[in-house]
Structure formats: C-alpha cells, structure tokens
C-alpha cells in the first residue's frame, strides 16, 4: 500500500504496479508484474486473487490506492477513496481469460477472435485476417467457422485465448485458465500458454491452484492470504521452500519441526535433514522445513524412526498409499507414500501413530519456527 | 432403474393424491370448452366473405397497423427500461419495477381513463399538446398509446428476466477486450438476450392486438380510425353474430400462434 499524503508518484519502470485496497472484499495488496514477466497469484479460495484481477481489468474500483500499467495510471483513489483517475476497462488494453471461455455464442470462432480488433475500430476484413492468424497460432485454425456450442472445452479455451491475444493486451489476466479443462485437454493448453507467454515475452498475471501451472508458466509467485500479500519470490523457490502454509499445501509439502544446525534441520531423533539455513535462521534455534512425501518412508517395524506421524488421512494414489499427518497449525503436516503391498501388509488406518524415517530430500531450506 | 422406458424425472416417489386430477381437468375444460364452442359456431361457408367485408378489413388493417406500431414503441421504450432495471443500481429501482408492472394488473378501463386525463384535451398535457396543434384522444395515435400502455410490461419483464439470466460476465469480457459501452450493448448484450427480446415483443404484440378496454375509453370506436378487431367483435356481436364469430376466430388463431411461438422460452 502506498502511503503519505495524497498521490504518490507512479513508478517509472513499466509493467504493472497494483497497490490498492477493496474494503468490501477485505483486500489490500501490493504487487508488481515487470515487463515480460509472468507472475502466478496463489492463495486459498476467497483470498482476493480474482478481486486483484478485477482491479487491474477495471471491473472493480479500488477504495484506496492505485493501479499503474506501463506508466499509465489506470485507477487512482489516493488514500482517501476520492477517485482522481479512472480509466474504463475498454481503454486499459488488458485481456482476461477465465476458467469459463465465455465466448460470444452468436459469433463464430473467427468473429470471436476478431472481436477486440473490431471493437477498436478495425475493418471487418482486416480484423478477420488478424483473427485467422491468431486462431492458427493457438491451433484452432480449422475451427474458424464453428459456433461456440460446437466446440469442446479445450477447443473453446483455445479460441478464447486467440480472442484475448488478438486484443494485443499490454497485460494478460489469466484466471484459472486450465481449471475447467479435463485431464486430456489441460496439458496441451498449458504447453500452448507456455509457448505464447515465453515466445512473445508477454506480461501476465496468472491465478491458479495447480503447482504445475506455476512451474511451467510463471517466473515469480505471489501468495495472497486473507487479502494481503504474504509471500513472493521466484516461482520454483516459492513452491520448493515455501515461507507460508498455502504454497506448501499446493506443492504437497509437509512441515517437519526440529532445531537448526550447520548441516540442516536436526530432527527429534537426532537425525539431520540435510539442507541450508535460510537467512535469519540461527543454529540451535527452533526451525522447520517443508519436505515432500518422497523424502520420507515408514520406519521398519519396531524401530522408533526419526519422527512420529499421526495419520489423519489415507489416500490411495495409484501404486502407493499416501498417509497424511496432522496439520501443524495452518501448515500441512508431513506425509509419507507407502507402496501398496507394504500398506496392505501392515494395515494403515487413520488415527494410528506411525514411525517415519527420512530417506531423501537433499537440500531443504531450513527456516526459523516459533 | 434401467429399463426399456426412458426414465422421466420425478416419475415415481412422491405421488400426487388422485383427486387433484379432477379439479385440474375441470380447469382445463374451463379453458378449452369455450374455445371449442366458439369454433363450433363458426359459419365456415361464409367465412371468406365475413372476413373480407369492408368493416372487417378496416378493423383488421387498423389492428395490424396499431399493434405493430405499439410493439415497435414497446421495444423502443422497453429495452432501455429493462436495461436500467437489470443493469443499474439507481436508487428507487424497486419502485420503478412496481410501476412498470402496474398496467399488467390494472383494469384496462382504468388505464384508458388515466390516459384520457393525461393526454386528453382537458388532460394534464392536453393544453400543451393542443398548443402544438396535436390532439391525441380519439385518434389512431390514441389506440397505439393505449396498446403500448398495456403491452409494455410484457416486454420489460420478459427482457429483464433474460438480462438477469444472461448475467454480466460476457459483457465484462467484452469491455476488457476493448469494447465501449455502446459496442458491448450492440454486439454482446442484445444478441445474447435476443430470444428474450423476441418473445417479449411477440407477447407485447399479442397483448396490443387484444386490447379493448383502454382503447374504447381513450380512443373510442370509429371505423377505420380507432375501431380495432376486438372492438369490431364486440360491436358485431349484437348486429351480426356470424361476423363477430369469424373475427373472434381470427383472434384465437393469432393467440394460438403466439403461444406456440413463445412456448418453451423461459421468460414469463
């Protein structure tokens, strides 16, 4: 949130600067998207992710703060909510691709893709020619004459992407673009998004609940919780060594507690989980690390193991059964994958305490824990 | 429950008490019997002559002209009203919505009287209109005005429902894609709600075509000028029942066509 009396000067670095509050949604965020950067916006349902997109698109007015895109002030409500600047959505040069393709049902795929150029005053022929190129680009060239009702979910989302790109947006707003697609269609569209975003050096703000989307598409991740930005960093780093519970849960990591030491995290058993200490984490102090289930295994019967896991859930996952430990406050507890045969032989049920040993996870990041 | 018969929703389970069928059948008969009686009275042999008599043709032409004009007026005024009702948050909207619905429940005679006191020679605006050299009451324009008054709610209610069902998400996407308010309205909102608009217009046309009370009160019954089909039917009922029945049949056919055209639409 910007502070000080009245209007603060706009940052002069291009890209998106969103520092605004919407009181009715309990949102007060401060985030940036640099030119050519893809930022994943993560957070639990109701955290304010879509509200943030709405602020950028111009579908919502901020109660305070400002929205700046490529040095243009799109919205400025100052610190007192008195709107000083308001640019209508259609003059912002952004484009929105949501979970639902929201194609215009009365237009063909081609005319859907030609919508934005037409709306900006291009002639029908020129707009259609450009639209046809975008449909080709997203692999929907053969669908040009179809109506949205004749398209599958994946095809419709391709056409919606072509429609968004044809608007030549300065910033692409992606609101869970793959969430509604079936498992067969999602990977192809993810790959397409990756190509389109990377090849053309586009700026995008991507809301997603899928860690694969974050890793494949985003440069940076911003975590919003309770209407505030609680964590941000390089996408891979946020998912591998999360500072806050939400990305840990998203990445399937569980929290292990222990004591910080030179070589990593000392578990209650004395075993050291190898890793590096995060800045501000001092040896000998309580600490924690987030580890994937693949780093843990059940201890041999009779052995005390490195830690005890109170099983709260048993989830079959193909060849393994995942035993989930109890949450540690807001953090997900550790989980361990047990081969089916072993699970069947031992009998795994929620409510039992299992001994677990550390088998892998080289290089976790050890953070201070209070 | 996988049998040869396609499963119907709610086919079994909670069954209705059987006696409900009796009053339901009586109700259906109440609607059907008069229509059957009317059709039975139609002098089929003389039908072409009756329908093409001078007074019949005059009434028919006038009815088609005025009902079409009233429908156009309903669309012109009703579309903006429905848009305001469905898409804005102006204060007092619920009052406006109730006002729009009023002609739907108001006795048409009362509507005609109200129109007379508004636009008649001694009415609220009568003086101003007269100064402009315009006299509305007892003219064809009065017929159109009366029909619009009673038919407008059908269009507004139908279209407002369609607008609410359609939601705003397509409009928002269009705006973000660079479409200004007028482009969004023209290229997204109206095409999306077109079925609702058409069914509203058809209902308005039917209501305008059948208008009787307000027309008689506000516009009178002058052949070729204000005597529409329903008025002609009422007039002929005494003097030439066969002609009345023939014209009534025409109105039944139009009404049936409207029901078929609108059936299956969610509006109203």
């Amino acid at each position: 949130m910007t502070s000080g009396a009245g209007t603060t000067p706009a940052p002069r670095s291009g890209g998106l600067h969103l520092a605004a509050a919407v009181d009715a949604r309990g949102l007060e965020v401060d985030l940036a998207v640099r030119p050519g950067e893809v930022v994943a916006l993560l957070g639990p349902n109701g955290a304010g992710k879509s509200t943030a997109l709405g602020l950028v698109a111009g579908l919502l007015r901020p109660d305070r703060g400002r929205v700046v895109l490529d040095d243009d002030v799109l919205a400025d409500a100052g610190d007192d909510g008195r709107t000083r600047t308001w640019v209508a959505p259609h003059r912002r040069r952004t484009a929105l691709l949501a979970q639902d393709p929201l194609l215009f049902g009365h237009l063909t795929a081609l005319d859907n893709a030609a919508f934005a150029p037409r709306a900006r005053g291009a002639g029908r022929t020129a707009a259609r020619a450009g639209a046809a190129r975008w449909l080709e680009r997203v692999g929907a060239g053969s669908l040009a004459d179809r109506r949205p009702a004749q398209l599958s979910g994946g095809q419709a989302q391709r056409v919606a992407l072509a429609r968004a790109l044809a608007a030549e947006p300065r910033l692409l707003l992606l609101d869970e673009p793959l969430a509604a697609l079936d498992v067969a269609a999602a990977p192809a569209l993810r790959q397409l998004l990756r190509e389109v975003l990377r090849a053309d050096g586009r700026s995008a703000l991507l809301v997603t609940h899928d860690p694969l989307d974050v890793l494949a598409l985003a440069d940076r991740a911003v975590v919003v919780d309770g209407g505030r930005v609680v964590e941000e960093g390089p996408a891979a780093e946020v998912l591998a060594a999360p500072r806050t519970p939400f990305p840990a849960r998203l990445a399937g990591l569980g929290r292990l507690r222990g004591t910080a030491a030179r070589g990593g995290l000392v578990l209650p058993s004395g075993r050291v989980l190898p890793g590096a200490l995060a800045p501000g984490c001092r040896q000998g102090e309580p600490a924690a690390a987030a580890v994937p289930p693949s780093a843990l295994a059940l201890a041999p019967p009779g052995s005390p193991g490195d830690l005890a896991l109170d099983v709260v859930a048993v989830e079959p996952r193909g060849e393994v059964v995942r035993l989930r430990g109890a949450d540690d406050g807001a953090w997900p507890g550790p989980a361990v994958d047990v081969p089916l045969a072993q699970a069947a032989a031992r009998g795994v049920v929620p409510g039992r305490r299992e001994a677990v040993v550390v088998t892998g996870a080289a290089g976790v990041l050890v953070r201070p824990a209070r | 429950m996988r049998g040869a018969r396609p499963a119907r929703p709610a086919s079994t389970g909670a069954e209705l008490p059987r006696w409900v069928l009796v009053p339901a059948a009586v109700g259906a008969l109440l609607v059907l019997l008069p229509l059957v009686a009317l059709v039975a009275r139609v002098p089929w042999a003389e039908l072409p002559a009756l329908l093409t008599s001078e007074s019949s043709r005059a009434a028919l032409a006038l009815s088609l002209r005025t009902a079409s004009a009233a429908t156009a007026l309903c669309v012109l005024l009703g579309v903006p009203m429905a848009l305001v009702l469905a898409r804005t948050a102006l204060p007092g909207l619920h009052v406006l919505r109730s006002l729009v619905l009023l002609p739907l429940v108001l006795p048409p005679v009362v509507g005609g009287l109200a129109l007379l006191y508004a636009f008649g020679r001694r009415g609220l605006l009568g003086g101003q209109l007269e100064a402009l050299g315009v006299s509305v009451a007892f003219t064809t324009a009065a017929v159109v005005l009366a029909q619009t008054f009673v038919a407008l709610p059908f269009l507004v209610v139908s279209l407002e429902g369609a607008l609410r069902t359609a939601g705003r998400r397509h409009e928002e996407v269009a705006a973000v894609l660079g479409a200004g308010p007028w482009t969004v309205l023209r290229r997204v909102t109206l095409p999306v709600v077109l079925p609702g608009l058409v069914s509203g217009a058809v209902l308005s046309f039917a209501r305008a075509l059948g208008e009787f009370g307000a027309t008689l009160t506000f516009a009178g019954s002058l052949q070729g000028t204000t005597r529409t089909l329903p008025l002609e039917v009422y007039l002929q009922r005494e003097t030439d029942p066969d002609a009345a029945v023939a014209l009534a049949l025409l109105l039944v056919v139009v009404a049936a066509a409207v029901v078929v055209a609108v059936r299956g639409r969610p509006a109203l």
Side-chain angles (χ1 to χ4, degrees):
Chain A
M1 196 63 239
T2 53
S3 58
T7 315
T8 49
R12 291 280 146 188
S13 55
L16 170 75
H17 295 266
L18 167 67
V22 180
D23 293 335
R25 314 272 175 98
L27 182 80
E28 186 163 345
V29 288
D30 188 342
L31 64 89
V33 179
R34 298 184 200 106
E37 189 183 41
V38 178
V39 172
L41 195 53
L42 311 177
N45 289 328
K49 305 183 297 290
S50 295
T51 306
L53 290 194
L55 280 173
V56 179
L59 302 175
L60 272 173
R61 282 175 187 265
D63 291 316
R64 288 180 306 286
R66 39 200 282 144
V67 184
V68 181
L69 181 58
D70 290 350
D71 301 337
D72 292 339
V73 178
L74 300 183
D76 186 353
D79 289 341
D80 53 5
R82 273 185 32 239
T83 302
R84 291 164 176 79
T85 309
W86 175 253
V87 177
H90 65 280
R91 298 214 170 88
R92 294 193 171 198
R93 296 275 314 277
T94 64
L96 181 65
L97 183 64
Q99 181 175 336
D100 183 340
L102 294 171
L103 293 175
F104 307 126
H106 57 287
L107 300 178
T108 61
L110 184 68
D111 283 333
N112 264 282
F115 184 88
R118 290 279 287 145
R120 296 227 171 85
R124 184 184 299 256
T125 316
R128 281 189 172 161
R133 280 197 297 279
W134 280 114
L135 285 181
E136 285 297 336
R137 179 82 175 80
V138 302
S142 60
L143 307 172
D145 296 330
R146 300 245 194 118
R147 299 265 169 166
Q150 302 167 301
L151 299 174
S152 72
Q155 290 171 335
Q157 197 62 318
R158 276 171 195 270
V159 174
L161 176 61
R163 181 179 65 177
L165 293 172
E168 293 178 11
R170 299 187 286 184
L171 178 72
L172 201 51
L173 302 169
L174 305 166
D175 194 355
E176 301 196 48
L178 309 177
L181 300 181
D182 56 48
V183 287
L189 204 72
R190 185 181 297 113
Q191 183 60 30
L192 173 66
L193 270 175
R194 184 185 164 93
E195 286 165 21
V196 167
L197 293 173
R198 293 260 177 265
D200 307 341
R202 281 176 190 284
S203 312
L205 192 54
L206 163 72
V207 171
T208 181
H209 280 293
D210 187 337
L212 191 51
D213 291 350
V214 180
L215 291 176
L217 303 175
D219 303 300
R220 227 149 43 80
V222 172
V223 183
V224 181
D225 206 340
R228 305 289 188 279
V229 172
V230 293
E231 175 174 7
E232 58 180 301
E237 216 169 89
V238 168
L239 285 188
R243 213 181 290 265
T244 56
F246 183 79
R249 212 173 278 281
L250 202 63
L253 305 179
R255 192 186 210 203
L256 296 189
R257 281 173 178 274
T259 311
R262 183 190 296 275
L265 183 72
V266 183
L267 298 173
S269 66
R271 174 79 164 266
V272 178
L273 184 67
L277 299 193
C281 185
R282 281 193 292 277
Q283 294 181 32
E285 290 191 350
V291 298
S294 60
L296 305 176
L298 284 186
S303 151
D306 295 320
L307 61 138
L309 187 147
D310 290 315
V311 180
V312 295
V314 176
E315 301 167 358
R317 292 186 163 228
E319 293 180 346
V320 298
V321 176
R322 178 163 294 181
L323 308 187
R324 227 173 245 298
D327 282 356
D328 178 357
W331 285 82
V336 57
D337 286 345
V338 182
L340 270 183
Q342 193 190 352
R346 287 178 71 139
V348 287
V349 286
R352 196 183 285 177
R353 175 170 287 193
E354 299 284 356
V356 170
V357 290
V358 176
T359 59
V364 297
L365 194 62
V366 181
R367 296 190 186 279
R370 276 159 296 281
Chain B
M1 269 290 292
R2 234 185 286 162
R5 247 182 353 171
R8 275 186 309 173
S11 56
T12 55
E15 283 192 5
L16 284 173
R18 295 202 175 186
W19 60 262
V20 169
L21 288 176
V22 177
V26 170
L29 274 180
L30 185 64
V31 176
L32 198 60
L33 200 62
L35 291 178
V36 170
L38 181 74
V39 172
R41 262 295 269 111
V42 172
W44 296 102
E46 297 108 83
L47 196 59
L50 288 171
L51 288 180
T52 52
S53 76
E54 196 205 327
S55 64
S56 290
R57 277 189 292 129
L60 183 59
L62 181 69
S63 264
L64 287 179
R65 256 172 42 227
T66 53
S68 300
T71 306
L73 214 52
C74 281
V75 171
L76 234 52
L77 304 176
V79 170
M81 286 173 86
L83 286 168
V84 168
L85 286 176
R87 289 289 190 263
T88 66
L90 296 177
L93 265 191
H94 57 287
V95 178
L96 179 63
R97 185 173 293 114
S98 310
L99 274 178
V100 169
L101 288 177
L102 204 54
L104 211 55
V105 287
L106 205 63
V109 172
V110 177
L113 207 61
L115 284 166
L116 202 56
Y117 284 124
F119 301 106
R121 190 179 303 184
R122 300 212 194 120
L124 209 54
L125 296 180
Q128 284 90 324
L129 288 173
E130 197 146 326
L132 293 169
V134 180
S135 172
V136 177
F138 305 108
T139 65
T140 306
V143 177
V144 174
L145 224 52
Q147 291 176 344
T148 307
F149 181 83
V150 297
L152 194 57
F154 286 85
L155 189 117
V156 174
V157 169
S158 176
L159 188 58
E160 193 198 348
L163 283 165
R164 289 189 181 282
T165 308
R168 313 197 61 160
R169 298 177 67 209
H170 285 94
E171 296 168 2
E172 290 178 348
V173 163
V176 175
L177 285 170
W182 168 235
T183 308
V184 172
L185 180 64
R186 193 169 48 86
R187 294 204 60 206
V188 178
T189 310
L190 290 180
V192 166
V193 297
L194 191 62
L197 178 57
V198 168
S199 77
V202 168
L203 284 169
S204 293
F205 179 80
R207 181 65 187 88
L209 199 65
E211 213 320 288
F212 177 78
T215 312
L216 190 62
T217 315
F218 180 44
S221 176
L222 284 107
Q223 186 179 337
T225 308
T226 69
R227 191 181 298 157
T228 57
L229 268 184
L231 270 62
E232 178 75 15
V233 170
Y234 186 74
L235 198 71
Q236 296 285 9
R237 181 189 55 101
E238 297 284 328
T239 55
D240 186 356
D242 281 355
V245 167
L247 291 173
L249 179 71
L250 199 62
L251 286 172
V252 170
V253 169
V254 171
V258 165
V259 168
V260 169
V262 174
R263 196 188 51 179
R265 300 232 185 272
L268 277 180

